[in-house]
Amino acid sequence: MKIDGAQVLGTGVDIVETARIRDSLEKFGERFLNRCFWPDEVHYCNGMKFPELHFAARFAAKEAVSKAFGTGIGHHLGWKDMEIRKRDSGEPFVVLHSKGADLAKVRGVTDVFVSLS
């Protein structure tokens, strides 16, 4: 599919129950955080009034990115192969690491767009 002349690889959407993330934070703590998030993501989310809301948004965004790539989370793309950052303007953006960057290169992906809710 092409949008405004750009080739679109795929679209991903995901919704996560905040209670599920809150429960994972309470039950698994640092183990959950280290498995799914980069230190800057943890720092940002923990600095917010309701951290679980921000962790849930990033968790869902990573799931959506993995769906857009058509892989899901697993062998080809892991939680820490993606990082959700925020520009000074407030706009979220995706940074691909390791397998994520490799997969993007192989598939010709130059931009990944994300929206958080």
Side-chain angles (χ1 to χ4, degrees):
M1 169 180 19
K2 286 195 177 223
I3 297 177
D4 292 331
Q7 182 66 34
V8 176
L9 173 69
T11 305
V13 176
D14 196 76
I15 297 172
V16 174
E17 289 184 39
T18 304
R20 177 177 159 217
I21 298 302
R22 185 180 56 244
D23 291 348
S24 292
L25 289 167
E26 290 172 2
K27 186 173 182 179
F28 302 109
E30 291 295 317
R31 186 170 145 217
F32 171 67
L33 294 175
N34 291 333
R35 180 173 180 243
C36 297
F37 302 100
W38 283 86
D40 285 347
E41 291 175 304
V42 173
H43 178 75
Y44 173 79
C45 294
N46 279 335
M48 304 309 280
K49 185 173 182 179
F50 299 105
E52 66 273 11
L53 300 178
H54 299 274
F55 283 118
R58 279 152 183 76
F59 192 92
K62 291 179 183 201
E63 282 274 12
V65 170
S66 74
K67 289 175 181 179
F69 273 105
T71 64
I73 299 292
H75 177 72
H76 297 288
L77 197 59
W79 295 112
K80 293 192 65 184
D81 292 323
M82 301 165 278
E83 182 178 3
I84 310 301
R85 293 187 186 169
K86 185 177 170 185
R87 299 190 195 288
D88 290 340
S89 64
E91 173 189 7
F93 68 102
V94 178
V95 175
L96 297 172
H97 299 281
S98 304
K99 290 180 184 179
D102 294 343
L103 188 58
K105 185 175 182 178
V106 167
R107 300 217 179 149
V109 172
T110 57
D111 296 296
V112 177
F113 300 99
V114 65
S115 177
L116 305 179
S117 296

